[in-house]
């Protein structure tokens, strides 16, 4: 019997569990351990609440979770409740699928002013992540600034501009909906260091800005390269640039009935946040792009900023006794192998890139590495206690574990509490989740 512990129940964790089942069938026992009482990682707490069809991928993970040899062990944090060393002694292989939950800092003066947030915190707030439920951003100012040119920046800008009725069918949490309802934001500036040809936003997500009830996107035509130059772009980027061109061409008459403007400020590198206690402005240096890189021109200007959300990437959290690459912000690994018996997968392995689906081949390839290490004897062929040993530690330490069956009760309670038309009203604190399973 092979005993495998997977730390993290997001896409990477469940794809790895699925791969382990395919590889060893009945000869494997997999424990998927998560610090939260609820599974699925960023599918629940990252993917935008108005993108329910994407969140439906969790049904696939549920299939894996419900099989006999896979178990969900919720509300157990590795590195706090149980150490990595203890797990390693209990299981043949430990796979870290812990994602990249920490915001990468801009490292700019004034970053600690009030109402400046990273996207992990801000997205976690509107998605009901217990760690960020109390964020309480101040949306009473008129000017929001979103830093970054990727899809997370788009998610944030879109959520800030939607009306109540546009959230119908979403699972945005009540505390966020209440604040957004009273928001006074009228300009959302998306700031990016490079230009249209370096855009990371994908066409489907960009095109959503065209259909917002009260907001319209604006691109300065002067920022757009000559149309002939688009021919050299990769097709996805070309489509995105095409959309930016259509934003630039929206006639003023069409904007007249919109109360929110989503303004793209490209070739713009943030320099410092300005404000007393709370942020009020952002100083920016104009850039130009040379060989794909943003280079400062020395020309500076200031834009008003009552709220700032920085969407510039994430770092993984180190775990004691697990080698970590500080510079890259993820576990030190070679193709998913940290050392024999210790592996990583998903964002914890490769950093915050790719789509949900990218984590699937990752999961399968790490299971191949584990199989290789079994074959070569790099993983010692000694009997392991596996889940029996984990349960002993959990009982000794009085940890309140949430099982998959418990999660289904929590899920049912969330569905029952849903406002009309919404799929669920999420619990936003751990205690409430734990109470709901009883
Ligand atoms: C805001 C946002 C929006 C996104 N939208 C999309 C989208 O629309 N479409 C798309 O394809 N992709 C999207 N993505 C990307 C997608 O969410 C990721 O590719 C995917 O979630 C990464 O999976 P993962 O399993 O590596 O990490 P995660 O999903 O982050 O899962 C990590 C899990 O590990 C747990 N964990 C962490 N540390 C510990 C510990 N010490 N002990 C126990 N458990 C721990 C966490 O609680 C979490 O459940 C989005 C990402 C973000 C941030």
């Amino acid at each position: 019997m092979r005993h495998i512990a997977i730390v993290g129940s997001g896409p990477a964790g469940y794809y790895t569990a699925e791969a382990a089942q395919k590889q060893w069938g009945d000869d494997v026992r997999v424990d998927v351990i998560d610090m939260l009482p609820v599974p699925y990682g960023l599918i629940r707490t990252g993917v935008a609440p108005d993108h329910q069809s994407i969140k439906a991928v969790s049904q696939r993970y549920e299939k894996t979770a419900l099989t006999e040899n896979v178990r969900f062990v919720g509300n157990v944090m590795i590195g706090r409740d149980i150490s990595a060393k203890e797990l390693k002694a209990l299981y043949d292989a430990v796979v870290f699928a812990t994602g990249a939950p920490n915001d990468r800092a801009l490292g700019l003066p004034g970053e600690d002013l009030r109402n400046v947030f990273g996207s992990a915190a801000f997205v976690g707030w509107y998605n009901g992540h217990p760690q960020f439920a109390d964020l309480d951003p101040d949306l009473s100012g008129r000017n929001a600034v979103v830093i970054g040119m990727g899809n997370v920046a788009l998610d944030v800008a879109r959520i800030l501009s939607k009306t109540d009725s546009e959230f119908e069918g979403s699972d945005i949490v009540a505390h966020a909906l209440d604040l957004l309802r009273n928001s006074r934001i009228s300009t959302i500036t998306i700031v990016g260091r490079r230009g249209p040809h370096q855009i990371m936003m994908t066409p489907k997500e960009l095109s959503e800005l065209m259909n917002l009830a009260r907001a319209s996107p604006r691109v300065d035509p002067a920022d757009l390269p000559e149309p002939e130059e688009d021919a050299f772009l990769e097709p996805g980027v070309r489509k995105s640039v095409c959309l930016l061109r259509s934003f630039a061409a929206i006639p003023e008459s069409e904007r007249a009935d919109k109360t929110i403007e989503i303004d793209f400020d490209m070739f713009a590198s943030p320099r410092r946040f300005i404000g007393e206690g709370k942020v009020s402005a952002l100083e920016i240096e104009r850039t130009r792009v040379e060989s794909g890189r943003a280079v400062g021109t020395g020309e500076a200007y200031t834009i008003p900023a009552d709220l700032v959300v920085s969407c510039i990437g994430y770092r993984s959290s180190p775990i004691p006794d697990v080698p970590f690459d500080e510079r890259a912000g993820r576990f030190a690994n070679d193709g998913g192998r940290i050392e024999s018996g210790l592996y990583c997968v998903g964002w914890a392995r490769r950093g915050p890139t790719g789509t949900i689906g990218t984590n699937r081949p990752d999961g399968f390839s790490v299971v191949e590495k584990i199989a290789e290490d079994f074959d070569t004897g790099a993983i010692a062929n000694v009997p392991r206690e596996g889940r029996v040993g984990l349960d002993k530690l959990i009982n000794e330490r009085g940890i309140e574990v949430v099982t998959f069956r418990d999660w289904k009760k929590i899920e049912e309670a969330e569905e029952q509490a849903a406002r009309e038309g919404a799929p669920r009203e999420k619990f936003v604190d751990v205690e409430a989740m734990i109470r709901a399973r009883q």
Side-chain angles (χ1 to χ4, degrees), residues 27-171:
D27 291 333
V28 71
R29 293 289 174 271
V30 181
D31 279 353
V32 179
I33 305 167
D34 206 286
M35 58 194 268
L36 288 182
V38 292
Y40 308 141
L42 286 172
I43 301 302
R44 178 178 167 105
T45 60
V47 171
D50 56 343
H51 283 172
Q52 287 300 311
S53 59
I54 294 173
K55 286 182 188 268
V57 69
S58 60
Q59 287 160 11
R60 179 185 187 123
Y61 310 146
E62 177 166 312
K63 251 190 179 168
T64 304
L66 285 173
T67 48
E68 284 279 300
N69 47 357
V70 176
R71 185 174 80 145
F72 174 68
V73 186
N75 202 33
V76 178
M77 184 171 177
I78 302 309
R80 181 193 64 190
D81 302 323
I82 306 282
S83 72
K85 267 190 178 160
E86 286 168 326
L87 271 195
K88 200 177 170 202
L90 291 173
Y91 293 84
D92 294 301
V94 179
V95 183
F96 290 96
T98 46
N102 306 308
D103 281 304
R104 208 155 67 75
L106 279 157
L108 296 180
E111 201 165 353
D112 53 353
L113 286 168
R114 239 177 333 111
N115 240 26
V116 177
F117 303 109
S119 57
F122 195 78
V123 170
W125 166 72
Y126 65 62
N127 262 325
H129 192 302
Q131 197 184 339
F132 304 111
D134 295 334
L135 196 73
D136 203 23
D138 181 349
L139 308 184
S140 65
R142 305 196 75 81
N143 298 290
V145 172
V146 179
I147 300 173
M149 280 281 167
N151 283 343
V152 176
L154 270 183
D155 278 354
V156 170
R158 192 181 67 254
I159 296 294
L160 283 173
S161 47
K162 278 199 163 178
T163 59
D164 236 35
S165 59
E166 287 174 291
F167 284 115
E168 245 168 52
S170 83
D171 66 352

